[in-house]
Amino acid sequence: MEINLGRLAFDLDFHPSSELVSAGLINGDLHLYRYGANALPQRLLEVRAHTESCRAVRFIDGGRAIATCSPDRSILATDVETGSPIARLEDAHGDAINRLINISETTIASGDDEGCIKVWDTRQRSCCNSFDAHHDYVSDMTFVSDAFKLLSTSGDGTLSVCSLRRNKVQAQSEFSEEELLSVVIMKNGRKVICGSQAGTLLLYSWGCFKDCSDRFIDLSPNSIDALLKLDEDRIITGSENGLISLVGILPNRIIQPIAEHSEYPVERLAFSHDRKFLGSIAHDQMLKLWDLDDILQTSGKTPTSQAAEKDSDSDEMDVETSPQKNKGTKRKGASIGNELSTSNSFFADL
């Protein structure tokens, strides 16, 4: 399936339980679509979310709202059913906000163009953690719930590890010669994989973040802009040349190219809630939904987790006990249905 967004998109996200997908566009618009295996995608919402580009989108509050961020330094929560703004946090950062991820149903993390990362408690409507993690833009983030740590990559070529319990940057890699653009956790938490501007995958062993333990240099001459973990042994990569590939980790190998979005750079990749579809956006202004079974069938494996490959590294993830009971250059749609109630909890009354 293909959706012509009409403008360059910077991010996409799938609803956690329904056939809905959202996209943030360069003109500040937020789009929401309903998709299905046997029906054409239907646009439900087109909302002017920000005065500048909408760089990141994430469903929050169990999918009842969408959080977006922008170079205008604001974070907005939009009601999924009505498209109405729930709350806007102005001046959330001192600089343009570039990335946004979920940590739990009630916490999100945002990263800006100067390397600052903030964690927001959406119930208390406040910033609960702040880290000066990098010296350049935050390109990607991932949360490790068992260790209660936030990992981030940056245009300054470093990988940082932020401890939410200790509220400090616990570790940082040495500066790489190229920008680090994407990050995932593999091998049951023992390996951190980073995609770089030079097309190299850098592999870090958990607990040994100063320098990478391995480099996969044969993947691509083009930058690896997006990484998506398929299972503990395989990742899906999105490259500057528009190729989407299936890649094995330890042993490092290109299993196969699985799709070609276009000749333009792949900006982001994401799975649908049931992992039936792989979503991709690129600089061709298209959002494409790929049938995951179809594009993986020649690889000889299904998209379920496989047993981890044995390697020489025996590092274990250090686990902290969690606290008491997780960059890019208006019409209101029809109601989505009764299954999604109106959200009013995120940043309420800000």
Side-chain angles (χ1 to χ4, degrees):
M1 285 181 283
E2 296 186 356
I3 301 172
N4 188 347
L5 300 171
R7 293 183 183 273
L8 173 66
F10 285 134
D11 200 10
L12 81 159
D13 194 34
F14 285 91
H15 192 276
S17 60
S18 299
E19 283 67 37
L20 301 175
V21 61
S22 60
L25 308 187
I26 192 171
N27 65 341
D29 282 0
L30 167 67
H31 284 194
L32 179 68
Y33 296 86
R34 184 185 296 282
Y35 64 91
N38 300 312
L40 293 175
Q42 175 190 5
R43 186 169 64 192
L44 303 178
L45 293 175
E46 181 181 359
V47 177
R48 175 51 61 92
H50 299 276
T51 58
E52 299 184 46
S53 61
C54 184
R55 285 188 178 175
V57 297
R58 285 295 180 272
F59 283 96
I60 59 170
D61 197 13
R64 290 180 288 271
I66 303 173
T68 56
C69 65
S70 170
D72 65 13
R73 302 182 300 173
S74 70
I75 298 175
L76 173 69
T78 300
D79 186 272
V80 167
E81 185 173 357
T82 66
S84 301
I86 298 170
R88 184 185 299 271
L89 185 61
E90 302 285 0
D91 298 322
H93 281 249
D95 297 279
I97 309 174
N98 190 53
R99 295 297 292 143
L100 190 70
I101 66 165
N102 293 313
I103 291 181
S104 73
E105 189 166 322
T106 58
T107 49
I108 59 174
S110 54
D112 69 29
D113 279 3
E114 293 299 320
C116 176
I117 296 173
K118 293 186 178 183
V119 177
W120 303 92
D121 186 322
T122 61
R123 294 169 301 180
Q124 299 297 323
R125 308 180 295 277
S126 63
C127 176
C128 50
N129 298 89
S130 182
F131 307 96
D132 291 323
H134 300 281
H135 299 292
D136 206 336
Y137 71 95
V138 177
S139 57
D140 200 9
M141 296 182 287
T142 188
F143 179 63
V144 186
S145 58
D146 290 343
F148 217 58
K149 291 180 172 63
L150 187 66
L151 276 64
S152 60
T153 53
S154 171
D156 65 11
T158 62
L159 167 71
S160 288
V161 182
C162 302
S163 172
L164 272 63
R165 269 184 73 80
R166 300 175 184 177
N167 197 31
K168 70 174 186 178
V169 179
Q170 183 171 319
Q172 188 174 50
S173 71
E174 295 178 349
F175 288 92
S176 173
E177 294 181 357
E178 61 262 16
E179 298 179 10
L180 299 185
L181 305 176
S182 45
V183 59
V184 293
I185 310 292
M186 303 281 292
K187 299 294 182 179
N188 299 302
R190 290 183 293 117
K191 292 293 181 180
V192 179
I193 318 300
C194 299
S196 76
Q197 186 182 36
T200 302
L201 290 180
L202 280 65
L203 283 66
Y204 294 85
S205 297
W206 186 267
C208 304
F209 298 109
K210 199 67 176 176
D211 196 7
C212 62
S213 59
D214 196 6
R215 297 167 67 92
F216 184 19
I217 62 175
D218 297 327
L219 176 57
S220 173
N222 306 101
S223 66
I224 309 300
D225 298 333
L227 292 178
L228 190 61
K229 176 181 173 179
L230 181 65
D231 53 41
E232 298 303 330
D233 305 317
R234 298 176 296 167
I235 55 175
I236 297 175
T237 65
S239 301
E240 186 182 24
N241 61 359
L243 284 180
I244 301 172
S245 301
L246 184 63
V247 176
I249 298 297
L250 295 174
N252 302 329
R253 66 203 187 281
I254 301 173
I255 298 175
Q256 66 183 61
I258 54 176
E260 184 176 8
H261 183 106
S262 68
E263 61 183 8
Y264 300 104
V266 175
E267 192 76 25
R268 297 291 171 195
L269 299 169
F271 288 131
S272 62
H273 72 96
D274 53 7
R275 293 171 70 91
K276 288 184 178 180
F277 293 100
L278 168 68
S280 62
I281 54 172
H283 292 189
D284 62 349
Q285 305 181 6
M286 303 294 291
L287 191 162
K288 296 188 178 183
L289 303 180
W290 310 87
D291 186 297
L292 201 55
D293 286 336
D294 284 349
I295 63 175
L296 293 178
Q297 62 183 352
T298 57
S299 70
K301 293 183 179 181
T302 61
T304 56
S305 294
Q306 307 292 323
E309 297 280 353
K310 293 184 180 298
D311 61 67
S312 59
D313 197 327
S314 60
D315 294 319
E316 296 293 335
M317 177 181 289
D318 57 318
V319 177
E320 295 184 4
T321 303
S322 300
Q324 296 288 333
K325 336 246 162 301
N326 190 336
K327 184 165 179 187
T329 45
K330 303 197 198 182
R331 182 176 58 86
K332 189 175 295 186
S335 174
I336 292 176
N338 295 329
E339 74 273 15
L340 298 175
S341 60
T342 301
S343 172
N344 55 13
S345 62
F346 183 77
F347 293 151
D349 302 322
L350 271 179

